[in-house]
């Protein structure tokens, strides 16, 4: 099997479906770069929040987002997101950053800026890229497209286990409610809503382990490249 430069694997799906964990594993196994596009929207959300921009004011978001310089570097094999020169990996994982990202990602100027960055990354390297619109908009010619999902209860339980393992107090019903709300926001927005690309393979991970899902994606990539 020969996988050449610019081999693209697109993984889309709702919040908490396990996209990043699985994409990271598949990338490692294939020797590809993992690109987490949600992290870029999270960095933009943090920037606009810090600048005190009103999330209901689309013109203000469009104007301000130009001042955010978001870059990606790979340090020790990990994606590091820089916002105007600051490493923001430590602040983008919060629930608040996720909510801000979901809101700001509705803006066409935010999307244009970040999609350009994502396409540039994928043009130069073999990537596993995850997000909401990768198979439909960012990399329409990706060699492998996957739509990864799981029931909202399962996704809420996974998030609950993650948070409690870190010693954080949380309520599973509130987590599930937030997940459903974010899905709705991401699926019903006007520009590049979350949806399964016509040529994407649907994987429902509700009753699958991380290893099983990663193995299925790796097999799809190998089969496609043979
Ligand atoms: O995958 P995540 O939870 O880190 O993404 C945070 C938000 O960013 C998500 O709710 C919607 C937005 N997003 C997007 O609009 N397009 C992408 N390709 C990735 C994320």
């Amino acid at each position: 099997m020969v996988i050449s430069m610019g081999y693209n694997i697109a993984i889309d799906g709702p919040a908490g479906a396990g996209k990043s964990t699985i994409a990271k594993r598949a990338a490692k196994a294939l020797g590809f770069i993992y690109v987490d596009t949600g992290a870029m929207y999270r960095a933009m959300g943090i920037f606009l929040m810090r600048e005190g921009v009103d999330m209901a004011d689309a013109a203000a978001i469009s104007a301000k987002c130009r001042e955010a310089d978001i870059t990606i570097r790979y340090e020790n094999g990990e994606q590091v997101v820089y916002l105007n020169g600051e490493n923001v990996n430590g602040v983008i994982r919060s629930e608040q950053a996720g909510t801000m990202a979901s809101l700001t990602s509705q803006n066409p100027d935010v999307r244009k800026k970040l999609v350009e960055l994502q396409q540039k990354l994928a043009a130069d390297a073999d990537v596993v890229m995850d997000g909401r619109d990768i198979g439909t908009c960012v990399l329409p010619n990706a060699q492998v497209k996957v739509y990864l999902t799981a029931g909202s209860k399962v996704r809420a339980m996974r998030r609950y286990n993650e948070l409690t393992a870190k010693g954080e107090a949380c309520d599973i019903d509130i987590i599930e409610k937030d997940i459903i709300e974010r899905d709705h926001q991401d699926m019903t927005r006007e520009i590049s809503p979350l949806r399964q690309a016509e040529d994407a393979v649907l994987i429902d991970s509700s009753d699958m382990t991380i290893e099983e899902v990663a193995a299925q994606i790796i097999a799809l990539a190998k089969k496609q490249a043979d």
Side-chain angles (χ1 to χ4, degrees), residues 3-215:
I3 292 183
S4 61
M5 283 296 278
Y7 192 100
N8 298 162
I9 299 178
I11 304 181
D12 292 300
K19 295 186 299 292
S20 63
T21 310
I22 283 149
K24 242 184 242 170
R25 281 202 183 213
K28 198 166 176 207
L30 293 162
F32 285 18
I33 286 173
Y34 165 54
V35 184
D36 172 0
T37 63
M40 300 175 194
Y41 289 96
R42 285 169 182 261
M44 182 63 86
I46 295 276
F47 172 76
L48 295 170
M49 187 179 69
R50 284 178 179 173
E51 292 291 320
V53 175
D54 176 1
M55 287 301 137
D57 186 345
I61 295 177
S62 289
K64 205 73 193 170
C65 77
R66 295 196 190 105
E67 294 171 24
D69 177 35
I70 294 170
T71 49
I72 299 295
R73 280 187 226 150
Y74 290 88
E75 297 173 8
N76 304 318
E78 286 286 311
Q79 172 181 295
V80 182
V81 184
Y82 284 88
L83 169 63
N84 294 334
E86 174 195 347
N87 175 341
V88 287
N89 267 27
V91 287
I92 57 175
R93 298 270 53 106
S94 68
E95 294 301 314
Q96 193 190 20
T99 304
M100 293 305 291
S102 182
L103 286 171
T104 57
S105 67
Q106 297 173 12
N107 183 284
D109 294 302
V110 167
R111 298 206 75 82
K112 187 166 177 284
K113 185 176 170 119
L114 297 182
V115 167
E116 270 170 21
L117 173 62
Q118 293 154 14
Q119 288 175 332
K120 221 187 270 166
L121 285 167
D124 296 340
D126 296 329
V127 298
V128 180
M129 187 178 283
D130 76 353
R132 303 292 187 287
D133 61 337
I134 311 306
T136 51
C137 293
V138 181
L139 306 175
N141 298 319
Q143 285 84 344
V144 173
K145 294 183 188 178
V146 170
Y147 188 84
L148 182 64
T149 190
S152 62
K153 280 220 162 14
V154 175
R155 290 186 282 135
M157 181 53 87
R158 287 177 186 162
R159 185 79 189 122
Y160 174 86
N161 290 339
E162 238 172 62
L163 290 169
T164 46
K166 280 197 274 180
E168 288 180 37
C170 54
D171 178 322
I172 187 144
D173 293 330
I174 293 176
I175 295 176
E176 190 186 359
K177 191 180 138 279
D178 287 349
I179 281 179
I180 291 171
E181 214 170 280
R182 185 125 75 90
D183 287 353
H184 179 74
Q185 215 159 262
D186 294 344
M187 288 170 169
T188 57
R189 71 181 176 215
E190 231 166 276
I191 319 158
S192 312
L194 167 65
R195 63 174 178 79
Q196 183 181 343
E198 273 171 26
D199 50 351
V201 174
L202 173 69
I203 303 180
D204 185 328
S205 73
S206 301
D207 298 314
M208 292 170 82
T209 63
I210 289 167
E211 290 74 20
E212 284 169 340
V213 180

